[in-house]
Structure formats: structure tokens, C-alpha cells
Amino acid sequence: MAGRLYGIGVGPGDPGLLTLKAASIIKSVPVIIAPKPGGDSESLALSVVREHIDFSRQKVITPLFPMSMKKDVLESAWMEAAKAAVDELLAGLDVAFLTIGDPSLYSTYSYILERIKVIVPDLISETVPGISSINLAAAKAGIDLALGQERLVVMPPGRDMEEVKKAIADFDTVVLMKVNRNFDGLKNMLKEEGLDGKAVYIRRAGTGREQVIRGLENVRAEDVDYFSLVIIKK
Amino acid sequence: MAGRLYGIGVGPGDPGLLTLKAASIIKSVPVIIAPKPGGDSESLALSVVREHIDFSRQKVITPLFPMSMKKDVLESAWMEAAKAAVDELLAGLDVAFLTIGDPSLYSTYSYILERIKVIVPDLISETVPGISSINLAAAKAGIDLALGQERLVVMPPGRDMEEVKKAIADFDTVVLMKVNRNFDGLKNMLKEEGLDGKAVYIRRAGTGREQVIRGLENVRAEDVDYFSLVIIKK
């Protein structure tokens, strides 16, 4: 009988923001898979849960997920991670697949789960939600994502600025993920629209490299990275 | 010196979805405030964290938050809860104010915090994010809230159906909170638009009364309550 797969959101990076359930599953499973972004850097997800792992008893696999936009590079990385999970599952072992933030919000876990299901159609899996960087960013910035009759929009990186402008006009709160890809374009648009004072930039909330800055004018371009998001609230 | 205020999201109702940080703060503070919705029913937030409280040592205050739409009824309840917190804070005691889900998403905590700050302007407070019912609902329904280039909208209860229809047309995923207020209207609109098969109804995810149902046609009207949400994904 195949093992059980757990897709676990470990939260935004602060080990304290792991849930009790996630900690308990990570402690109990024989196999943990924690993707890492580059050759040398440790897996961020693994660093969050490190204290709950007994490395002498549990097997930890850290597949490489390259920070690439190329479809074939990503597909090959996802397939390799899926196969690593399948090997363990078919050996009858339960597997916890870790993902930063929440598995339902821009997480690679969905791609992996899809590929595992193709190979193991009768897979038993459970997704455990995690604190999203969006919720922590709002807490750190002292902003409500939505209150009362307010409506919230969350947008992925690389959207057209006209589309962002329209979302700001039509909704109460707009969250823009991974703003590093077009930070100058966003900053200029907000300035032109007189909205820069309504924007808060939050980078790596809950980690030692956290930044919370009101107004994109006050953000140094070299500080903006992949874990930077912006909340615009009118 | 005034005590410190913690606004704590305790997650959607499953005690396992509390964060380690929330559990640790709840264990350590002398005062816990947990609003409850009605005269007889226990506070849901309190039931989630019960095992972390030492009732012989910690003071637990459960102000009544009526399920009312009347501004003056709500204002009076919020003010009373704020004053209860202020009394303890000014006595130098740290206070944990509990809120179901995440404090930044449609939580009453923001109203309380605002009122406390008016009375204690130099208040030191920290907001601890919690798992939102939205993220758990997506995990239970096996749906991505957003993946890749997808955009998400979250809407509060009681919106006009034309507005909901437009949001569905313009965005990839639409989450409607507390759909009990206009369930029939929503069901009819989705049927007319041929979208009922794209909708998942999730009630009280993570509790003993959880329901996850694909297609609003299959939901019994008498089962729909205040903790019901719908995710529409094209």
C-alpha cells in the first residue's frame, strides 16, 4: 500500500508561524521533501522546520527548484521532485512535501501534486494550509486586507500597469506579489496617480531581513527581491 | 507601564491550525479576551485554544459580540470589549485578544484595536496572523486560490450579483465570504451563467460540522450558515 502524501505550508519564514498540525506531521513522517532554490543556499522551508526534524531517523530530500522562467527547465525540476516523492510513497512511506507560505497561493506544490497523481492515481493526500506572506505582511504593516464591505484583489508578478491601475480603482485593497520584476514601473505609476502614500512595501516579513516601508519612493531598488510584495490600500 | 496587547488569529476552528507562536503567547499572558457570539454558546476562538490555557492562573474574559447588523449595538459591544482590554493593559498586564481566522481578513479585532488606541495612544501591540478560513477551504476543496499568472478576488457578504458576475468574468478565482445572506441569489446567478459546476461550497472547514460540496445545486439551504463560503474558479 502506498504511503500518504502531506502538502504542508510552513508559513512565511518565521519558525513560530508553523502550525501545530504541520509540526506534528513533520515530526512523525519518515520522509520530508523540501525544495531549495539554488545549489548552495539551504532550503528556506527546511530552515523553518529544522528543529522538528530528527536527521538521524528521518530522510530529508532537497530537490533543486531553479529560479527560472523557462518551461522545460521547470518541468524537468518538477518531474524530478515528483519522482522522488513517488519512490518513497510506493515504498509505503508517508511523505511531507514542504512549501513556503500557503500551498493554495502561488505555490509550486500544486504542480508537483498534479504530476504525482498521474503516476499514483489512487494517491491519498492531504493539504495543510500555512500562513501566507500576504497575511503576515498585513499584520506587520498594520493594514486590514479587507474589513466590513471591502473587497481584496491579489495579483501575481509581471502584470501590466494599466491592469494594476484598474484594479486599484475598482477594489479597496490590492496586493501585488513578487514586485521585483517591475518595481520601477510600479513606483512610477503610483507616483503619477498620486497613490504612493497609500502603498506599503514589505520584504521577507518574519525573517531577519524584514523590511516594512511606507511609500515606494522610500525603498532602495537594490533591496527589492523575490520575496517583496506591495499592499495598496485606498 | 501599560501591558502589551497581542491580536491573535487562532485559525479557522481546528485546534491543530493554531501557530506555535500563538500557542506560546496564549500560554504566557495573564489575560485572554475571547469574544463570543451569543449568550449560551461558547466562544469559538476560546474552544480552539482551550488546551493551552491554565484557567486557575489566567484570567479569561469573554465579551459578547452580538450577530447584529445594527451600528449602535455593535459599537456598544466593541467599546465594552475595548474597555475590558484597557482595564487590564493599564494595570500593567499583557493581554491576548483572540480572533477566529486571520486578524487582517474581515476580523472584528481591527475595530477593537482602533478603540483601544484612542484610550491608550502609546499602546504597544503586535498582530499575530492566523490561518484564514479561505486558505483552509481551498486546501479542503483541492483548489488553488491562485497559481502562476492567476488573479484572486475576495468579496464580503451581501454584494450585488451583477458585481459578483463581473468579478467572475474579470478574474480567475473569486471567493465569496459568508454566503448565507444571499445564497439563493448566488445559486440562481451561477446556474443562469452556466457556472454552478465551477463553484465549491465550503462550510466550517476544520470543524466537526465541515461540508465541502461541488455545485451549489447540491447544497441544502438549511445547511448554509454564517461560516459558509464559496470559491468560484473558472
Side-chain angles (χ1 to χ4, degrees):
Chain A
M1 195 170 152
R4 199 183 170 94
L5 175 68
Y6 297 95
I8 297 188
V10 301
D14 174 351
L17 293 179
L18 195 70
T19 64
L20 300 172
K21 183 171 186 174
S24 156
I25 292 171
I26 289 163
K27 276 193 182 100
S28 71
V29 291
V31 181
I32 293 149
I33 304 186
K36 61 174 184 173
D40 289 335
S41 46
E42 196 197 19
S43 158
L44 177 57
L46 189 61
S47 72
V48 171
V49 305
R50 183 166 279 285
E51 63 190 283
H52 305 289
I53 298 176
D54 177 352
F55 286 87
S56 71
R57 192 180 51 81
Q58 294 172 287
K59 182 173 180 179
V60 177
I61 304 171
T62 56
L64 184 68
F65 276 15
M67 289 277 186
S68 172
M69 306 285 288
K70 286 187 191 158
K71 277 237 162 172
D72 58 333
V73 172
L74 291 172
E75 180 59 46
S76 142
W78 295 341
M79 205 57 216
E80 204 170 311
K83 279 181 184 157
V86 167
D87 286 347
E88 306 295 336
L89 292 166
L90 293 184
L93 300 173
D94 290 350
V95 172
F97 194 104
L98 310 185
T99 185
I100 277 290
D102 176 66
S104 75
L105 274 168
Y106 303 111
S107 162
T108 310
Y109 175 66
S110 298
Y111 299 117
I112 307 298
L113 178 61
E114 197 188 340
R115 280 155 185 77
I116 295 174
K117 276 183 177 164
V118 171
I119 314 177
V120 188
D122 57 348
L123 177 76
I124 298 172
S125 75
E126 181 178 350
T127 302
V128 179
I131 302 284
S132 163
S133 60
I134 301 175
N135 299 275
L136 178 60
K140 292 279 180 179
I143 293 173
D144 286 296
L145 290 172
L147 190 64
Q149 279 295 305
E150 293 174 356
R151 297 146 310 145
L152 164 70
V153 169
V154 181
M155 296 180 99
R159 304 304 299 192
D160 178 79
M161 279 308 133
E162 286 305 313
E163 191 190 339
V164 175
K165 208 193 287 185
K166 186 166 181 342
I168 297 171
D170 291 349
F171 292 86
D172 303 284
T173 313
V174 175
V175 177
L176 302 170
M177 308 296 291
K178 301 184 177 112
V179 290
N180 59 317
R181 270 172 56 191
N182 189 7
F183 192 76
D184 285 340
L186 176 62
K187 189 164 90 171
N188 293 339
M189 184 275 279
L190 290 174
K191 193 179 171 185
E192 280 166 23
E193 299 292 312
L195 288 168
D196 196 56
K198 307 288 185 189
V200 181
Y201 160 89
I202 305 109
R203 187 191 72 178
R204 295 177 184 262
T207 74
R209 294 172 62 194
E210 174 177 304
Q211 285 187 322
V212 179
I213 300 173
R214 272 162 216 278
L216 270 52
E217 292 278 10
N218 306 315
V219 177
R220 296 190 312 175
E222 62 266 36
D223 285 346
V224 181
D225 70 13
Y226 184 81
F227 293 101
S228 302
L229 63 86
V230 167
I231 303 177
I232 301 145
K233 177 132 196 183
K234 282 183 296 189
Chain B
M1 194 171 153
R4 197 182 172 96
L5 176 67
Y6 297 95
I8 297 190
V10 302
D14 174 352
L17 293 179
L18 195 71
T19 64
L20 300 173
K21 183 171 185 173
S24 156
I25 293 171
I26 289 164
K27 277 194 182 100
S28 71
V29 291
V31 182
I32 294 149
I33 304 186
K36 62 174 183 173
D40 290 334
S41 46
E42 195 197 18
S43 159
L44 178 57
L46 189 60
S47 72
V48 171
V49 307
R50 183 165 281 283
E51 64 190 283
H52 306 289
I53 299 176
D54 177 352
F55 286 88
S56 71
R57 191 179 52 80
Q58 294 171 288
K59 182 172 181 179
V60 177
I61 303 171
T62 57
L64 184 68
F65 277 15
M67 288 277 187
S68 172
M69 305 285 289
K70 286 187 190 159
K71 278 236 163 173
D72 58 333
V73 173
L74 291 173
E75 181 58 46
S76 142
W78 295 341
M79 205 58 215
E80 205 170 309
K83 278 179 184 157
V86 166
D87 285 348
E88 305 295 337
L89 292 166
L90 292 184
L93 300 173
D94 290 349
V95 173
F97 194 102
L98 309 186
T99 185
I100 278 290
D102 177 67
S104 75
L105 273 168
Y106 303 111
S107 164
T108 310
Y109 175 66
S110 298
Y111 300 117
I112 307 298
L113 178 61
E114 196 187 340
R115 281 154 185 77
I116 294 174
K117 276 183 177 166
V118 171
I119 314 176
V120 188
D122 57 348
L123 177 76
I124 298 172
S125 74
E126 181 179 349
T127 302
V128 179
I131 302 285
S132 162
S133 60
I134 301 174
N135 299 272
L136 179 60
K140 291 280 181 178
I143 293 173
D144 286 295
L145 291 171
L147 190 63
Q149 278 295 303
E150 292 175 355
R151 296 145 309 145
L152 163 71
V153 169
V154 181
M155 296 181 98
R159 306 302 300 193
D160 178 79
M161 279 307 132
E162 286 305 313
E163 190 189 339
V164 175
K165 207 193 287 185
K166 188 168 181 340
I168 297 172
D170 291 350
F171 292 86
D172 303 283
T173 313
V174 176
V175 177
L176 303 171
M177 307 297 289
K178 300 182 177 115
V179 290
N180 59 316
R181 272 173 53 193
N182 189 7
F183 192 76
D184 285 340
L186 177 62
K187 189 163 89 172
N188 293 338
M189 185 275 279
L190 289 174
K191 194 178 170 184
E192 280 165 24
E193 299 292 312
L195 288 168
D196 197 56
K198 306 287 185 190
V200 181
Y201 161 89
I202 305 110
R203 187 191 73 178
R204 294 177 185 262
T207 76
R209 294 172 62 195
E210 173 177 305
Q211 286 188 321
V212 178
I213 299 173
R214 270 161 216 278
L216 270 52
E217 292 279 10
N218 305 315
V219 177
R220 296 188 314 174
E222 62 266 36
D223 284 347
V224 181
D225 71 12
Y226 183 81
F227 293 100
S228 303
L229 63 86
V230 168
I231 304 177
I232 301 145
K233 176 131 197 185
K234 284 183 296 189

